[in-house]
Amino acid sequence: MATVIAAVEERTAGNRLSKKVKDHFWAVLFLLPAIVIFCIFLWTPIVKGMVYSFMNVDFVNGSTFVGLTNYREIIESSTLGISVRNTLYYMFLGVLIGFWVPSIAAIAVSELRWFQGTMRLMVYLPNIVPAVVLYGMWQWLYDPLGPANQMLSGFGIHQVMWLTDKNTAMLSIVIAETWQGFGTAALIYLAGIVGIPKDLYEAAEIDGAGVLQRIRHITIPSIRHLFVLLFILQMIGTSQGFQTHYALTGGGPNNATLTYMYQIINEAFVGFNFGKASAMGVLMFVVLTSLSIILYFIQGRSKEA
């Protein structure tokens, strides 16, 4: 009897496994092209970068193994401290300014009674404009005789050299990037707000809660997980920033906007030192991976709390 029962259980388990395989076969099949592309265009460059970081890369005469020489040159580089310090400052300004603008915009749009669709389009509009047009627009706005200084002069404020003064260059870049990219994050926040049950807001209105009270006690607690997620993405994104720095200031004035990623680009495509650039990329990969793991555990603990 025990043998029969064991045989039945074994057959049942086999049928369950077979059904599970059949259920997931098509899902895996459809995901396979994306997985292959992901491995080819993401993980293959990462692995090659790790290999190149220990080599003197020469695509003509052949690469040679140099051990930790590239890492030693990075540490001894005179611009490493400048680029790291600028990157940290850039990340700080990005969190201080750029992180909060999308959430404020999303909450403001969600509280509108009319024209919500139009305002969502207006919020996302800067993301639609090509980057080349945006860079040209901001160079015009930041021109010493441009609209920004003309507006300040109307308030009696002295002319500001936005992109040529080392004290304001990085702030100017952060303002430009915040306006250009906050639409995507705002839509993510709006999607989270839409998922909040309407009954909570209706009950709050019946109890006499105002707009600020609804935002404080319903909206913000309901989307706090999005704050953590987008904070991680903000940190990773700003640590890799260089496009706007390249387009508006070229890393100047006097290396005031030279970021770590910008230095990697210079090493690779200006100095053609691909081994050193790869080593710098590996160091950034390690730091960002560690940061993501730390923030992930912080998010997990906050959910448990």
Side-chain angles (χ1 to χ4, degrees):
M1 186 66 180
T3 306
V4 175
I5 294 174
V8 172
E9 290 179 351
E10 183 178 353
R11 182 180 298 176
T12 304
N15 292 336
R16 289 176 183 172
L17 179 61
S18 177
K19 185 177 183 302
K20 186 175 293 187
V21 171
K22 290 179 181 178
D23 291 342
H24 292 84
F25 173 76
W26 289 107
V28 173
L29 187 64
F30 280 110
L31 286 174
L32 189 60
I35 295 172
V36 172
I37 293 173
F38 187 81
C39 292
I40 292 174
F41 292 101
L42 182 64
W43 284 106
T44 300
I46 289 175
V47 173
K48 282 190 173 182
M50 291 179 178
V51 174
Y52 287 160
S53 67
F54 299 102
M55 304 178 72
N56 179 22
V57 181
D58 189 338
F59 296 112
V60 178
N61 301 317
S63 303
T64 56
F65 181 77
V66 295
L68 298 175
T69 301
N70 291 323
Y71 291 94
R72 185 162 52 249
E73 290 181 358
I74 292 170
I75 296 173
E76 295 174 353
S77 174
S78 60
T79 57
L80 177 64
I82 297 173
S83 63
V84 171
R85 185 167 59 251
N86 288 341
T87 302
L88 293 175
Y89 180 52
Y90 173 60
M91 293 170 68
F92 169 74
L93 290 178
V95 172
L96 185 65
I97 300 174
F99 179 71
W100 300 107
V101 171
S103 58
I104 294 173
I107 292 173
V109 171
S110 68
E111 289 292 335
L112 292 176
R113 300 296 184 182
W114 299 279
F115 306 111
Q116 270 200 24
T118 302
M119 290 307 300
R120 289 178 185 178
L121 177 62
M122 296 297 293
V123 165
Y124 193 72
L125 188 61
N127 294 74
I128 302 175
V129 182
V132 175
V133 177
L134 286 170
Y135 295 146
M137 182 192 73
W138 282 104
Q139 285 181 330
W140 169 65
L141 288 172
Y142 285 143
D143 188 88
L145 300 178
N149 278 322
Q150 290 182 6
M151 183 180 65
L152 291 178
S153 64
F155 294 96
I157 301 175
H158 191 266
Q159 184 184 69
V160 177
M161 306 301 291
W162 297 98
L163 299 176
T164 56
D165 187 343
K166 64 179 182 180
N167 296 318
T168 59
M170 191 68 80
L171 176 62
S172 303
I173 289 174
V174 171
I175 293 173
E177 288 191 336
T178 299
W179 184 85
Q180 178 183 351
F182 81 97
T184 301
L187 289 183
I188 295 174
Y189 282 120
L190 278 170
I193 294 173
V194 168
I196 301 174
K198 300 298 181 183
D199 297 344
L200 297 177
Y201 291 102
E202 292 174 359
E205 290 181 1
I206 292 174
D207 291 339
V211 174
L212 294 179
Q213 290 177 315
R214 292 199 305 269
I215 293 173
R216 178 183 175 185
H217 296 288
I218 299 176
T219 305
I220 293 179
S222 299
I223 61 171
R224 61 181 180 273
H225 63 286
L226 291 179
F227 282 104
V228 178
L229 172 64
L230 291 174
F231 179 77
I232 296 173
L233 296 177
Q234 175 85 11
M235 297 294 287
I236 294 174
T238 51
S239 66
Q240 298 175 342
F242 82 94
Q243 297 95 327
T244 309
H245 307 73
Y246 175 80
L248 296 183
T249 63
N254 195 23
N255 289 333
T257 57
L258 176 68
T259 60
Y260 187 83
M261 190 65 187
Y262 198 166
Q263 187 176 358
I264 294 178
I265 300 299
N266 284 338
E267 291 289 347
F269 301 107
V270 178
F272 297 102
N273 194 340
F274 295 102
K276 186 176 178 181
S278 298
M280 295 182 69
V282 169
L283 293 176
M284 173 176 276
F285 175 77
V286 171
V287 171
L288 291 181
T289 302
S290 303
L291 179 64
S292 299
I293 292 173
I294 292 171
L295 293 176
Y296 175 79
F297 279 110
I298 292 174
Q299 182 183 17
R301 290 185 177 181
S302 65
K303 285 183 177 180
E304 292 177 0

